[in-house]
PDB file of all heavy atoms in Angstrom:
ATOM      1  N   TYR W1079       7.427  -2.001  -1.355  1.00  0.00           N
ATOM      2  CA  TYR W1079       6.619  -1.549  -0.236  1.00  0.00           C
ATOM      3  C   TYR W1079       7.609  -1.360   0.951  1.00  0.00           C
ATOM      4  O   TYR W1079       8.119  -2.356   1.506  1.00  0.00           O
ATOM      5  CB  TYR W1079       5.550  -2.600   0.094  1.00  0.00           C
ATOM      6  CG  TYR W1079       4.619  -2.904  -1.047  1.00  0.00           C
ATOM      7  CD1 TYR W1079       4.918  -3.930  -1.958  1.00  0.00           C
ATOM      8  CD2 TYR W1079       3.464  -2.133  -1.261  1.00  0.00           C
ATOM      9  CE1 TYR W1079       4.060  -4.159  -3.025  1.00  0.00           C
ATOM     10  CE2 TYR W1079       2.639  -2.394  -2.321  1.00  0.00           C
ATOM     11  CZ  TYR W1079       2.936  -3.416  -3.220  1.00  0.00           C
ATOM     12  OH  TYR W1079       2.072  -3.674  -4.283  1.00  0.00           O
ATOM     13  N   PRO W1080       7.858  -0.119   1.334  1.00  0.00           N
ATOM     14  CA  PRO W1080       8.902   0.123   2.344  1.00  0.00           C
ATOM     15  C   PRO W1080       8.492  -0.415   3.721  1.00  0.00           C
ATOM     16  O   PRO W1080       7.300  -0.540   4.034  1.00  0.00           O
ATOM     17  CB  PRO W1080       8.986   1.645   2.381  1.00  0.00           C
ATOM     18  CG  PRO W1080       7.677   2.143   1.848  1.00  0.00           C
ATOM     19  CD  PRO W1080       7.240   1.131   0.841  1.00  0.00           C
ATOM     20  N   PRO W1081       9.484  -0.777   4.554  1.00  0.00           N
ATOM     21  CA  PRO W1081       9.169  -1.297   5.875  1.00  0.00           C
ATOM     22  C   PRO W1081       8.666  -0.177   6.797  1.00  0.00           C
ATOM     23  O   PRO W1081       8.914   1.008   6.553  1.00  0.00           O
ATOM     24  CB  PRO W1081      10.520  -1.835   6.340  1.00  0.00           C
ATOM     25  CG  PRO W1081      11.537  -1.009   5.611  1.00  0.00           C
ATOM     26  CD  PRO W1081      10.923  -0.736   4.282  1.00  0.00           C
ATOM     27  N   THR W1082       7.982  -0.588   7.833  1.00  0.00           N
ATOM     28  CA  THR W1082       7.620   0.310   8.911  1.00  0.00           C
ATOM     29  C   THR W1082       8.677   0.196  10.012  1.00  0.00           C
ATOM     30  O   THR W1082       8.914  -0.894  10.557  1.00  0.00           O
ATOM     31  CB  THR W1082       6.255  -0.042   9.523  1.00  0.00           C
ATOM     32  OG1 THR W1082       5.247   0.054   8.481  1.00  0.00           O
ATOM     33  CG2 THR W1082       5.873   0.881  10.667  1.00  0.00           C
ATOM     34  N   ASN W1083       9.379   1.284  10.291  1.00  0.00           N
ATOM     35  CA  ASN W1083      10.486   1.244  11.243  1.00  0.00           C
ATOM     36  C   ASN W1083      10.004   1.013  12.669  1.00  0.00           C
ATOM     37  O   ASN W1083       8.951   1.523  13.055  1.00  0.00           O
ATOM     38  CB  ASN W1083      11.316   2.528  11.152  1.00  0.00           C
ATOM     39  CG  ASN W1083      12.056   2.614   9.821  1.00  0.00           C
ATOM     40  OD1 ASN W1083      12.436   1.624   9.218  1.00  0.00           O
ATOM     41  ND2 ASN W1083      12.208   3.854   9.344  1.00  0.00           N
ATOM     42  N   ARG W1084      10.788   0.329  13.433  1.00  0.00           N
ATOM     43  CA  ARG W1084      10.545   0.143  14.870  1.00  0.00           C
ATOM     44  C   ARG W1084      11.083   1.353  15.588  1.00  0.00           C
ATOM     45  O   ARG W1084      12.243   1.716  15.435  1.00  0.00           O
ATOM     46  CB  ARG W1084      11.218  -1.141  15.390  1.00  0.00           C
ATOM     47  CG  ARG W1084      11.041  -1.402  16.873  1.00  0.00           C
ATOM     48  CD  ARG W1084      11.817  -2.655  17.263  1.00  0.00           C
ATOM     49  NE  ARG W1084      11.765  -2.879  18.687  1.00  0.00           N
ATOM     50  CZ  ARG W1084      10.838  -3.605  19.347  1.00  0.00           C
ATOM     51  NH1 ARG W1084       9.850  -4.142  18.651  1.00  0.00           N
ATOM     52  NH2 ARG W1084      10.916  -3.750  20.651  1.00  0.00           N
ATOM     53  N   ILE W1085      10.259   2.009  16.386  1.00  0.00           N
ATOM     54  CA  ILE W1085      10.677   3.209  17.086  1.00  0.00           C
ATOM     55  C   ILE W1085      10.595   2.961  18.595  1.00  0.00           C
ATOM     56  O   ILE W1085       9.579   2.579  19.131  1.00  0.00           O
ATOM     57  CB  ILE W1085       9.756   4.416  16.723  1.00  0.00           C
ATOM     58  CG1 ILE W1085       9.813   4.686  15.207  1.00  0.00           C
ATOM     59  CG2 ILE W1085      10.199   5.681  17.477  1.00  0.00           C
ATOM     60  CD1 ILE W1085       8.900   5.797  14.740  1.00  0.00           C
ATOM     61  N   VAL W1086      11.720   3.177  19.276  1.00  0.00           N
ATOM     62  CA  VAL W1086      11.832   2.953  20.720  1.00  0.00           C
ATOM     63  C   VAL W1086      12.253   4.291  21.379  1.00  0.00           C
ATOM     64  O   VAL W1086      13.156   4.957  20.939  1.00  0.00           O
ATOM     65  CB  VAL W1086      12.876   1.877  21.019  1.00  0.00           C
ATOM     66  CG1 VAL W1086      13.007   1.662  22.510  1.00  0.00           C
ATOM     67  CG2 VAL W1086      12.484   0.567  20.339  1.00  0.00           C
ATOM     68  N   LEU W1087      11.552   4.592  22.465  1.00  0.00           N
ATOM     69  CA  LEU W1087      11.902   5.802  23.291  1.00  0.00           C
ATOM     70  C   LEU W1087      12.646   5.328  24.513  1.00  0.00           C
ATOM     71  O   LEU W1087      12.184   4.465  25.237  1.00  0.00           O
ATOM     72  CB  LEU W1087      10.607   6.532  23.667  1.00  0.00           C
ATOM     73  CG  LEU W1087      10.786   7.896  24.356  1.00  0.00           C
ATOM     74  CD1 LEU W1087      11.394   8.904  23.391  1.00  0.00           C
ATOM     75  CD2 LEU W1087       9.429   8.430  24.859  1.00  0.00           C
ATOM     76  N   GLU W1088      13.827   5.902  24.745  1.00  0.00           N
ATOM     77  CA  GLU W1088      14.661   5.576  25.901  1.00  0.00           C
ATOM     78  C   GLU W1088      14.884   6.820  26.755  1.00  0.00           C
ATOM     79  O   GLU W1088      14.898   7.931  26.252  1.00  0.00           O
ATOM     80  CB  GLU W1088      15.992   4.946  25.463  1.00  0.00           C
ATOM     81  CG  GLU W1088      15.848   3.629  24.758  1.00  0.00           C
ATOM     82  CD  GLU W1088      17.190   2.989  24.516  1.00  0.00           C
ATOM     83  OE1 GLU W1088      18.236   3.548  24.938  1.00  0.00           O
ATOM     84  OE2 GLU W1088      17.228   1.921  23.852  1.00  0.00           O
ATOM     85  N   SER W1089      15.137   6.540  28.018  1.00  0.00           N
ATOM     86  CA  SER W1089      15.407   7.670  28.939  1.00  0.00           C
ATOM     87  C   SER W1089      16.766   8.249  28.643  1.00  0.00           C
ATOM     88  O   SER W1089      17.727   7.509  28.384  1.00  0.00           O
ATOM     89  CB  SER W1089      15.343   7.160  30.390  1.00  0.00           C
ATOM     90  OG  SER W1089      15.756   8.200  31.256  1.00  0.00           O
ATOM     91  N   SER W1090      16.850   9.569  28.696  1.00  0.00           N
ATOM     92  CA  SER W1090      18.123  10.236  28.555  1.00  0.00           C
ATOM     93  C   SER W1090      18.786  10.577  29.873  1.00  0.00           C
ATOM     94  O   SER W1090      19.885  11.135  29.924  1.00  0.00           O
ATOM     95  CB  SER W1090      17.935  11.539  27.733  1.00  0.00           C
ATOM     96  OG  SER W1090      17.080  12.408  28.434  1.00  0.00           O
ATOM     97  N   ARG W1091      18.116  10.162  30.988  1.00  0.00           N
ATOM     98  CA  ARG W1091      18.646  10.511  32.314  1.00  0.00           C
ATOM     99  C   ARG W1091      19.784   9.559  32.670  1.00  0.00           C
ATOM    100  O   ARG W1091      19.766   8.376  32.298  1.00  0.00           O
ATOM    101  CB  ARG W1091      17.525  10.374  33.350  1.00  0.00           C
ATOM    102  CG  ARG W1091      16.379  11.341  33.142  1.00  0.00           C
ATOM    103  CD  ARG W1091      15.447  11.339  34.341  1.00  0.00           C
ATOM    104  NE  ARG W1091      14.351  12.276  34.145  1.00  0.00           N
ATOM    105  CZ  ARG W1091      13.593  12.691  35.156  1.00  0.00           C
ATOM    106  NH1 ARG W1091      13.765  12.234  36.368  1.00  0.00           N
ATOM    107  NH2 ARG W1091      12.607  13.554  34.927  1.00  0.00           N
ATOM    108  N   GLN W1092      20.749  10.096  33.353  1.00  0.00           N
ATOM    109  CA  GLN W1092      21.883   9.346  33.855  1.00  0.00           C
ATOM    110  C   GLN W1092      21.866   9.307  35.364  1.00  0.00           C
ATOM    111  O   GLN W1092      21.376  10.222  36.021  1.00  0.00           O
ATOM    112  CB  GLN W1092      23.200   9.967  33.352  1.00  0.00           C
ATOM    113  CG  GLN W1092      23.320  10.055  31.822  1.00  0.00           C
ATOM    114  CD  GLN W1092      23.356   8.679  31.209  1.00  0.00           C
ATOM    115  OE1 GLN W1092      23.967   7.747  31.757  1.00  0.00           O
ATOM    116  NE2 GLN W1092      22.701   8.520  30.065  1.00  0.00           N
ATOM    117  N   PRO W1093      22.418   8.230  35.971  1.00  0.00           N
ATOM    118  CA  PRO W1093      22.492   8.169  37.443  1.00  0.00           C
ATOM    119  C   PRO W1093      23.293   9.357  37.979  1.00  0.00           C
ATOM    120  O   PRO W1093      24.256   9.802  37.381  1.00  0.00           O
ATOM    121  CB  PRO W1093      23.227   6.840  37.706  1.00  0.00           C
ATOM    122  CG  PRO W1093      22.983   6.043  36.454  1.00  0.00           C
ATOM    123  CD  PRO W1093      22.950   7.001  35.328  1.00  0.00           C
ATOM    124  N   VAL W1094      22.885   9.864  39.166  1.00  0.00           N
ATOM    125  CA  VAL W1094      23.558  10.991  39.784  1.00  0.00           C
ATOM    126  C   VAL W1094      24.792  10.500  40.524  1.00  0.00           C
ATOM    127  O   VAL W1094      24.737   9.522  41.299  1.00  0.00           O
ATOM    128  CB  VAL W1094      22.598  11.697  40.768  1.00  0.00           C
ATOM    129  CG1 VAL W1094      23.347  12.828  41.508  1.00  0.00           C
ATOM    130  CG2 VAL W1094      21.392  12.248  40.040  1.00  0.00           C
ATOM    131  N   GLU W1095      25.938  11.108  40.246  1.00  0.00           N
ATOM    132  CA  GLU W1095      27.172  10.740  40.930  1.00  0.00           C
ATOM    133  C   GLU W1095      27.541  11.845  41.904  1.00  0.00           C
ATOM    134  O   GLU W1095      27.611  13.003  41.551  1.00  0.00           O
ATOM    135  CB  GLU W1095      28.300  10.554  39.899  1.00  0.00           C
ATOM    136  CG  GLU W1095      28.036   9.413  38.898  1.00  0.00           C
ATOM    137  CD  GLU W1095      29.161   9.279  37.926  1.00  0.00           C
ATOM    138  OE1 GLU W1095      30.145  10.057  38.071  1.00  0.00           O
ATOM    139  OE2 GLU W1095      29.084   8.422  37.014  1.00  0.00           O
TER     140      GLU W1095
END
Side-chain angles (χ1 to χ4, degrees):
Y1079 302 90
T1082 299
N1083 292 328
R1084 178 182 174 90
I1085 302 177
V1086 179
L1087 188 66
E1088 294 187 5
S1089 174
S1090 61
R1091 297 189 179 196
Q1092 301 296 323
V1094 176
E1095 297 180 3

